[in-house]
């Protein structure tokens, strides 16, 4: 039994319904007025700054277009698959919010692709195209990184050894276990080996460098000098990106397939007798269970408009309903 003497933190403020904004953060009713921050129903410094980047960029571009006698300029919009800023703004302007909005990674359906190591690859090029990034050194650094990443991945794809040799050099346990020793004639590329669960880029590149050095020594003793550059490991500036892009490739592809099948099922109906409980949906948050139970969406399109229900949960719900439908159809066919 406690009595609240004084709230420790309680701030109330008016806000503009964010659904009255476009993806450029411009108000739909008043042209040229751009909003960002708490006035849009969000809370948090980063959330405000993220909106400010997009609102400021579009306001500036609109002003430049007007001074040049142009009616409009191409909108600067960040997609949900390009950055968390895009997720935040899309959530606000399409779903709105009934409580102060915070950005959580769980709200993003493409979060495997939205990593810190590839932020420049995703957004700096876009910034350059819209005239927001103009520093030549920064652009040159991006282009150098893009070239290095492509070069390293290509080297991983072109380097191959027999699976038995991978196992001998890297250790049987690390390189796929005892089964690797039985596939005597099979070969795997360095890229394929790196996709194994516990193998790191350093493990693979150490073997690649060792093999390259051995071949050079043999070629030198035989009078066959190699003219190409000596193989080395990935530089620190691209190491994490190269490893992540190879490691996560299959997951990213599956992620896109899931989202594509989900988008095609927007009009699919949700059974009205579906019970939203943690026993059936163990990955759902308490908020998601409560909102789905209360609102009882009839279609997945309706479910996708419920604030607080994450894309991952919608995909999970879609698979649950399709499995249930298949099971029902099988029961009917055998009856």
């Amino acid at each position: 039994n406690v009595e609240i003497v004084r709230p420790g933190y309680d701030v109330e403020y008016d806000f503009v319904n964010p659904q009255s904004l476009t993806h450029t953060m411009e108000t739909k009713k008043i042209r040229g007025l751009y909003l960002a921050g708490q006035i849009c129903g969000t809370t948090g410094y980063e959330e405000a700054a993220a909106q400010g980047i997009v609102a400021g960029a579009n306001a500036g571009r609109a002003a430049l277009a007007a001074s040049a006698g142009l009616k409009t300029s191409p909108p600067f919009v960040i997609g949900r698959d390009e950055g968390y800023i895009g997720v935040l703004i899309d959530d606000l302007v399409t779903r709105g919010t009934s409580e102060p909005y915070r950005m959580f990674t769980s709200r993003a359906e493409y979060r495997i692709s939205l990593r810190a190591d590839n932020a420049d690859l995703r957004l700096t090029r876009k910034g350059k195209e819209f005239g927001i990034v103009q520093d030549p050194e920064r652009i040159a650094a991006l282009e150098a990184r893009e070239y290095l990443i492509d070069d390293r991945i290509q080297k991983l794809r072109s380097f191959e050894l027999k699976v038995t040799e991978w196992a001998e050099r890297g250790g049987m346990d690390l390189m796929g276990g005892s089964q690797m020793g039985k596939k005597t004639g099979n070969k795997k590329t360095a890229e394929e080996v790196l996709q194994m669960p516990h193998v790191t880029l350093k493990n693979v590149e150490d073997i690649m460098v060792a093999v390259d050095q051995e071949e050079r020594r043999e070629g030198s003793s035989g009078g066959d000098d190699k003219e190409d550059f000596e193989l080395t490991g990935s530089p620190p500036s691209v190491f994490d990106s190269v490893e992540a892009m190879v490691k996560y490739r299959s997951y990213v592809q599956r992620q896109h397939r899931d989202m594509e099948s989900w988008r095609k099922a927007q009009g699919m109906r949700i059974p009205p007798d579906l019970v939203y409980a943690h026993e059936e949906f163990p990955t759902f948050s308490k908020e998601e269970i409560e909102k789905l139970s209360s609102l009882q969406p009839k279609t997945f399109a309706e479910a996708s408009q419920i604030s607080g229900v994450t894309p991952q949960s919608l995909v999970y719900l879609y698979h649950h309903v399709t499995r249930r439908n298949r099971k029902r159809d099988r029961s009917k066919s055998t009856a």
Side-chain angles (χ1 to χ4, degrees):
N1 296 322
V2 297
E3 180 182 349
I4 298 176
V5 177
R6 183 175 61 203
Y9 180 78
D10 183 20
V11 178
E12 294 183 6
Y13 53 89
D14 293 330
F15 76 105
V16 173
N17 183 348
Q19 289 176 297
S20 66
L21 307 176
T22 69
H23 282 79
T24 64
M25 303 306 289
E26 183 182 24
T27 58
K28 295 175 181 176
K29 290 186 176 181
I30 305 176
R31 186 178 174 187
L33 176 62
Y34 295 81
L35 304 180
Q38 284 189 331
I39 194 172
C40 300
T42 62
T43 180
Y45 298 111
E46 294 83 0
E47 285 79 359
Q51 296 167 70
I53 290 171
V54 175
N58 281 295
R61 287 174 56 79
L64 285 173
S67 65
L70 303 174
K71 289 186 177 181
T72 58
S73 62
F76 175 69
V77 175
I78 298 175
R80 295 182 71 94
D81 59 337
E82 293 179 306
Y84 286 109
I85 296 175
V87 176
L88 181 150
I89 291 176
D90 186 63
D91 278 353
L92 289 173
V93 303
T94 59
R95 298 183 179 187
T97 183
S98 58
E99 57 187 40
Y101 180 101
R102 292 304 300 261
M103 182 64 236
F104 301 114
T105 56
S106 61
R107 297 185 190 273
E109 57 268 53
Y110 298 104
R111 63 180 182 273
I112 300 176
S113 306
L114 306 182
R115 307 185 306 273
D117 71 87
N118 68 358
D120 58 335
L121 305 177
R122 289 183 281 110
L123 298 173
T124 303
R125 177 72 62 187
K126 189 180 186 76
K128 176 179 178 292
E129 292 171 358
F130 281 85
I132 299 167
V133 176
Q134 299 180 338
D135 182 0
E137 290 187 5
R138 182 175 175 185
I139 295 169
L142 169 67
E143 292 173 345
R145 233 171 77 77
E146 288 176 334
Y147 172 80
L148 280 172
I149 290 171
D150 290 342
D151 179 66
R152 297 312 305 184
I153 292 178
Q154 187 55 44
K155 282 183 169 60
L156 290 170
R157 286 175 181 165
S158 60
F159 184 94
E160 63 178 15
L161 291 173
K162 289 183 178 179
V163 292
T164 50
E165 190 170 355
W166 280 114
E168 289 170 5
R169 292 176 177 273
M172 195 75 75
D173 292 338
L174 183 65
M175 296 293 178
S178 59
Q179 292 299 316
M180 289 289 276
K182 298 177 181 178
K183 303 174 182 178
T184 54
N186 295 349
K187 286 188 174 183
K188 278 186 180 291
T189 65
E191 182 184 36
E192 291 171 328
V193 171
L194 179 53
Q195 290 173 346
M196 293 180 180
H198 303 295
V199 180
T200 66
L201 179 58
K202 185 177 186 307
N203 296 146
V204 171
E205 289 190 334
D206 284 349
I207 294 174
M208 292 171 65
V209 170
V211 171
D212 181 68
Q213 290 175 347
E214 290 171 11
E215 290 178 350
R216 287 177 180 280
R217 285 195 295 269
E218 292 172 3
S220 177
S221 62
D224 181 21
D225 293 331
K226 279 196 171 185
E227 296 181 358
D228 56 334
F229 294 104
E230 183 176 351
L231 190 61
T232 59
S234 298
S237 61
V238 300
F239 188 94
D240 289 343
S241 294
V242 171
E243 186 170 50
M245 289 173 76
V246 174
K247 280 284 191 187
Y248 298 148
R249 178 171 287 115
S250 61
Y251 296 100
V252 170
Q253 292 171 346
R254 186 174 68 187
Q255 172 184 265
H256 281 277
R257 285 197 302 270
D258 282 346
M259 293 314 301
E260 189 60 31
S261 62
W262 147 248
R263 286 195 183 90
K264 291 178 181 177
Q266 290 284 296
M268 183 177 174
R269 298 193 68 80
I270 299 174
D273 60 341
L274 189 64
V275 177
Y276 298 98
H278 277 294
E279 291 75 21
E280 293 289 337
F281 304 98
T283 62
F284 284 24
S285 67
K286 184 178 179 181
E287 178 190 7
E288 289 173 322
I289 293 291
E290 288 178 351
K291 287 188 173 181
L292 288 167
S293 299
S294 172
L295 298 173
Q296 289 290 319
K298 295 181 177 63
T299 66
F300 283 97
E302 290 183 11
S304 67
Q305 296 303 310
I306 300 175
S307 177
V309 178
T310 67
Q312 278 67 37
S313 294
L314 290 170
V315 171
Y316 189 100
L317 177 61
Y318 165 71
H319 288 310
H320 177 88
V321 171
T322 53
R323 283 196 303 269
R324 173 177 157 153
N325 289 346
R326 282 198 298 268
K327 186 177 179 181
R328 179 201 60 200
D329 293 341
R330 282 197 299 268
S331 299
K332 286 182 179 179
S333 64
T334 56

